[in-house]
mmCIF file with all atom_site columns, all heavy atoms in Angstrom:
data_model
loop_
_atom_site.group_PDB
_atom_site.id
_atom_site.type_symbol
_atom_site.label_atom_id
_atom_site.label_alt_id
_atom_site.label_comp_id
_atom_site.label_asym_id
_atom_site.label_entity_id
_atom_site.label_seq_id
_atom_site.pdbx_PDB_ins_code
_atom_site.Cartn_x
_atom_site.Cartn_y
_atom_site.Cartn_z
_atom_site.occupancy
_atom_site.B_iso_or_equiv
_atom_site.pdbx_formal_charge
_atom_site.auth_seq_id
_atom_site.auth_comp_id
_atom_site.auth_asym_id
_atom_site.auth_atom_id
_atom_site.pdbx_PDB_model_num
ATOM 1  N N   . ARG A 1 153 ? 56.205 -92.914  11.106 1.00 97.00 ? 153 ARG A N   1
ATOM 2  C CA  . ARG A 1 153 ? 56.373 -91.568  11.595 1.00 97.00 ? 153 ARG A CA  1
ATOM 3  C C   . ARG A 1 153 ? 57.184 -91.488  12.924 1.00 97.00 ? 153 ARG A C   1
ATOM 4  O O   . ARG A 1 153 ? 58.055 -90.683  13.023 1.00 97.00 ? 153 ARG A O   1
ATOM 5  C CB  . ARG A 1 153 ? 55.050 -90.896  11.811 1.00 97.00 ? 153 ARG A CB  1
ATOM 6  C CG  . ARG A 1 153 ? 55.089 -89.501  12.464 1.00 97.00 ? 153 ARG A CG  1
ATOM 7  C CD  . ARG A 1 153 ? 53.734 -88.958  12.784 1.00 97.00 ? 153 ARG A CD  1
ATOM 8  N NE  . ARG A 1 153 ? 52.880 -89.856  13.586 1.00 97.00 ? 153 ARG A NE  1
ATOM 9  C CZ  . ARG A 1 153 ? 53.010 -89.971  14.933 1.00 97.00 ? 153 ARG A CZ  1
ATOM 10 N NH1 . ARG A 1 153 ? 53.952 -89.319  15.582 1.00 97.00 ? 153 ARG A NH1 1
ATOM 11 N NH2 . ARG A 1 153 ? 52.208 -90.842  15.596 1.00 97.00 ? 153 ARG A NH2 1
ATOM 12 N N   . VAL A 1 154 ? 56.867 -92.345  13.818 1.00 97.00 ? 154 VAL A N   1
ATOM 13 C CA  . VAL A 1 154 ? 57.471 -92.337  15.160 1.00 97.00 ? 154 VAL A CA  1
ATOM 14 C C   . VAL A 1 154 ? 58.993 -92.706  14.957 1.00 97.00 ? 154 VAL A C   1
ATOM 15 O O   . VAL A 1 154 ? 59.867 -92.063  15.573 1.00 97.00 ? 154 VAL A O   1
ATOM 16 C CB  . VAL A 1 154 ? 56.824 -93.368  16.117 1.00 97.00 ? 154 VAL A CB  1
ATOM 17 C CG1 . VAL A 1 154 ? 57.628 -93.527  17.379 1.00 97.00 ? 154 VAL A CG1 1
ATOM 18 C CG2 . VAL A 1 154 ? 55.401 -92.905  16.460 1.00 97.00 ? 154 VAL A CG2 1
ATOM 19 N N   . ALA A 1 155 ? 59.247 -93.680  14.062 1.00 96.00 ? 155 ALA A N   1
ATOM 20 C CA  . ALA A 1 155 ? 60.658 -94.034  13.837 1.00 96.00 ? 155 ALA A CA  1
ATOM 21 C C   . ALA A 1 155 ? 61.454 -92.832  13.256 1.00 96.00 ? 155 ALA A C   1
ATOM 22 O O   . ALA A 1 155 ? 62.559 -92.541  13.674 1.00 96.00 ? 155 ALA A O   1
ATOM 23 C CB  . ALA A 1 155 ? 60.734 -95.194  12.845 1.00 96.00 ? 155 ALA A CB  1
ATOM 24 N N   . ARG A 1 156 ? 60.801 -92.173  12.347 1.00 96.00 ? 156 ARG A N   1
ATOM 25 C CA  . ARG A 1 156 ? 61.466 -90.963  11.704 1.00 96.00 ? 156 ARG A CA  1
ATOM 26 C C   . ARG A 1 156 ? 61.666 -89.876  12.779 1.00 96.00 ? 156 ARG A C   1
ATOM 27 O O   . ARG A 1 156 ? 62.739 -89.282  12.760 1.00 96.00 ? 156 ARG A O   1
ATOM 28 C CB  . ARG A 1 156 ? 60.583 -90.466  10.554 1.00 96.00 ? 156 ARG A CB  1
ATOM 29 C CG  . ARG A 1 156 ? 61.109 -89.336  9.758  1.00 96.00 ? 156 ARG A CG  1
ATOM 30 C CD  . ARG A 1 156 ? 60.265 -88.982  8.545  1.00 96.00 ? 156 ARG A CD  1
ATOM 31 N NE  . ARG A 1 156 ? 58.920 -88.649  8.903  1.00 96.00 ? 156 ARG A NE  1
ATOM 32 C CZ  . ARG A 1 156 ? 57.820 -89.358  8.749  1.00 96.00 ? 156 ARG A CZ  1
ATOM 33 N NH1 . ARG A 1 156 ? 57.960 -90.584  8.279  1.00 96.00 ? 156 ARG A NH1 1
ATOM 34 N NH2 . ARG A 1 156 ? 56.600 -88.959  9.106  1.00 96.00 ? 156 ARG A NH2 1
ATOM 35 N N   . GLU A 1 157 ? 60.670 -89.518  13.538 1.00 96.00 ? 157 GLU A N   1
ATOM 36 C CA  . GLU A 1 157 ? 60.802 -88.485  14.504 1.00 96.00 ? 157 GLU A CA  1
ATOM 37 C C   . GLU A 1 157 ? 61.750 -88.774  15.621 1.00 96.00 ? 157 GLU A C   1
ATOM 38 O O   . GLU A 1 157 ? 62.326 -87.890  16.186 1.00 96.00 ? 157 GLU A O   1
ATOM 39 C CB  . GLU A 1 157 ? 59.417 -88.172  15.095 1.00 96.00 ? 157 GLU A CB  1
ATOM 40 C CG  . GLU A 1 157 ? 58.471 -87.549  14.037 1.00 96.00 ? 157 GLU A CG  1
ATOM 41 C CD  . GLU A 1 157 ? 56.994 -87.372  14.594 1.00 96.00 ? 157 GLU A CD  1
ATOM 42 O OE1 . GLU A 1 157 ? 56.695 -87.985  15.654 1.00 96.00 ? 157 GLU A OE1 1
ATOM 43 O OE2 . GLU A 1 157 ? 56.247 -86.719  13.899 1.00 96.00 ? 157 GLU A OE2 1
ATOM 44 N N   . ARG A 1 158 ? 61.953 -90.057  15.892 1.00 94.00 ? 158 ARG A N   1
ATOM 45 C CA  . ARG A 1 158 ? 62.900 -90.421  16.999 1.00 94.00 ? 158 ARG A CA  1
ATOM 46 C C   . ARG A 1 158 ? 64.228 -90.785  16.510 1.00 94.00 ? 158 ARG A C   1
ATOM 47 O O   . ARG A 1 158 ? 65.215 -90.961  17.355 1.00 94.00 ? 158 ARG A O   1
ATOM 48 C CB  . ARG A 1 158 ? 62.313 -91.595  17.785 1.00 94.00 ? 158 ARG A CB  1
ATOM 49 C CG  . ARG A 1 158 ? 61.189 -91.263  18.764 1.00 94.00 ? 158 ARG A CG  1
ATOM 50 C CD  . ARG A 1 158 ? 60.728 -92.489  19.510 1.00 94.00 ? 158 ARG A CD  1
ATOM 51 N NE  . ARG A 1 158 ? 59.773 -92.088  20.521 1.00 94.00 ? 158 ARG A NE  1
ATOM 52 C CZ  . ARG A 1 158 ? 60.048 -91.862  21.829 1.00 94.00 ? 158 ARG A CZ  1
ATOM 53 N NH1 . ARG A 1 158 ? 61.290 -91.916  22.291 1.00 94.00 ? 158 ARG A NH1 1
ATOM 54 N NH2 . ARG A 1 158 ? 59.045 -91.499  22.676 1.00 94.00 ? 158 ARG A NH2 1
ATOM 55 N N   . GLY A 1 159 ? 64.471 -90.859  15.175 1.00 93.00 ? 159 GLY A N   1
ATOM 56 C CA  . GLY A 1 159 ? 65.727 -91.249  14.648 1.00 93.00 ? 159 GLY A CA  1
ATOM 57 C C   . GLY A 1 159 ? 66.055 -92.704  14.911 1.00 93.00 ? 159 GLY A C   1
ATOM 58 O O   . GLY A 1 159 ? 67.216 -93.115  15.047 1.00 93.00 ? 159 GLY A O   1
ATOM 59 N N   . MET A 1 160 ? 65.004 -93.529  14.977 1.00 93.00 ? 160 MET A N   1
ATOM 60 C CA  . MET A 1 160 ? 65.131 -95.004  15.129 1.00 93.00 ? 160 MET A CA  1
ATOM 61 C C   . MET A 1 160 ? 64.746 -95.679  13.886 1.00 93.00 ? 160 MET A C   1
ATOM 62 O O   . MET A 1 160 ? 64.122 -95.116  12.947 1.00 93.00 ? 160 MET A O   1
ATOM 63 C CB  . MET A 1 160 ? 64.256 -95.472  16.316 1.00 93.00 ? 160 MET A CB  1
ATOM 64 C CG  . MET A 1 160 ? 64.606 -94.816  17.681 1.00 93.00 ? 160 MET A CG  1
ATOM 65 S SD  . MET A 1 160 ? 63.438 -95.214  18.985 1.00 93.00 ? 160 MET A SD  1
ATOM 66 C CE  . MET A 1 160 ? 63.803 -96.938  19.249 1.00 93.00 ? 160 MET A CE  1
ATOM 67 N N   . THR A 1 161 ? 65.061 -96.972  13.762 1.00 94.00 ? 161 THR A N   1
ATOM 68 C CA  . THR A 1 161 ? 64.639 -97.739  12.612 1.00 94.00 ? 161 THR A CA  1
ATOM 69 C C   . THR A 1 161 ? 63.244 -98.260  12.827 1.00 94.00 ? 161 THR A C   1
ATOM 70 O O   . THR A 1 161 ? 62.769 -98.391  13.959 1.00 94.00 ? 161 THR A O   1
ATOM 71 C CB  . THR A 1 161 ? 65.550 -98.946  12.342 1.00 94.00 ? 161 THR A CB  1
ATOM 72 O OG1 . THR A 1 161 ? 65.364 -99.875  13.430 1.00 94.00 ? 161 THR A OG1 1
ATOM 73 C CG2 . THR A 1 161 ? 67.052 -98.473  12.295 1.00 94.00 ? 161 THR A CG2 1
ATOM 74 N N   . GLN A 1 162 ? 62.485 -98.440  11.714 1.00 93.00 ? 162 GLN A N   1
ATOM 75 C CA  . GLN A 1 162 ? 61.142 -98.956  11.892 1.00 93.00 ? 162 GLN A CA  1
ATOM 76 C C   . GLN A 1 162 ? 61.150 -100.342 12.469 1.00 93.00 ? 162 GLN A C   1
ATOM 77 O O   . GLN A 1 162 ? 60.234 -100.765 13.179 1.00 93.00 ? 162 GLN A O   1
ATOM 78 C CB  . GLN A 1 162 ? 60.412 -99.001  10.546 1.00 93.00 ? 162 GLN A CB  1
ATOM 79 C CG  . GLN A 1 162 ? 58.927 -99.369  10.679 1.00 93.00 ? 162 GLN A CG  1
ATOM 80 C CD  . GLN A 1 162 ? 58.090 -98.938  9.556  1.00 93.00 ? 162 GLN A CD  1
ATOM 81 O OE1 . GLN A 1 162 ? 58.447 -98.057  8.736  1.00 93.00 ? 162 GLN A OE1 1
ATOM 82 N NE2 . GLN A 1 162 ? 56.858 -99.504  9.453  1.00 93.00 ? 162 GLN A NE2 1
ATOM 83 N N   . ALA A 1 163 ? 62.227 -101.139 12.257 1.00 95.00 ? 163 ALA A N   1
ATOM 84 C CA  . ALA A 1 163 ? 62.305 -102.458 12.830 1.00 95.00 ? 163 ALA A CA  1
ATOM 85 C C   . ALA A 1 163 ? 62.351 -102.376 14.319 1.00 95.00 ? 163 ALA A C   1
ATOM 86 O O   . ALA A 1 163 ? 61.791 -103.209 15.013 1.00 95.00 ? 163 ALA A O   1
ATOM 87 C CB  . ALA A 1 163 ? 63.591 -103.164 12.330 1.00 95.00 ? 163 ALA A CB  1
ATOM 88 N N   . GLN A 1 164 ? 63.053 -101.378 14.879 1.00 94.00 ? 164 GLN A N   1
ATOM 89 C CA  . GLN A 1 164 ? 63.109 -101.161 16.324 1.00 94.00 ? 164 GLN A CA  1
ATOM 90 C C   . GLN A 1 164 ? 61.748 -100.803 16.856 1.00 94.00 ? 164 GLN A C   1
ATOM 91 O O   . GLN A 1 164 ? 61.368 -101.352 17.920 1.00 94.00 ? 164 GLN A O   1
ATOM 92 C CB  . GLN A 1 164 ? 64.096 -100.046 16.631 1.00 94.00 ? 164 GLN A CB  1
ATOM 93 C CG  . GLN A 1 164 ? 65.590 -100.357 16.450 1.00 94.00 ? 164 GLN A CG  1
ATOM 94 C CD  . GLN A 1 164 ? 66.480 -99.228  16.708 1.00 94.00 ? 164 GLN A CD  1
ATOM 95 O OE1 . GLN A 1 164 ? 66.301 -98.109  16.096 1.00 94.00 ? 164 GLN A OE1 1
ATOM 96 N NE2 . GLN A 1 164 ? 67.522 -99.359  17.482 1.00 94.00 ? 164 GLN A NE2 1
#
Side-chain angles (χ1 to χ4, degrees):
R153 172 186 55 79
V154 173
R156 183 173 62 255
E157 291 174 348
R158 284 183 175 263
M160 300 171 69
T161 67
Q162 186 159 343
Q164 291 174 308

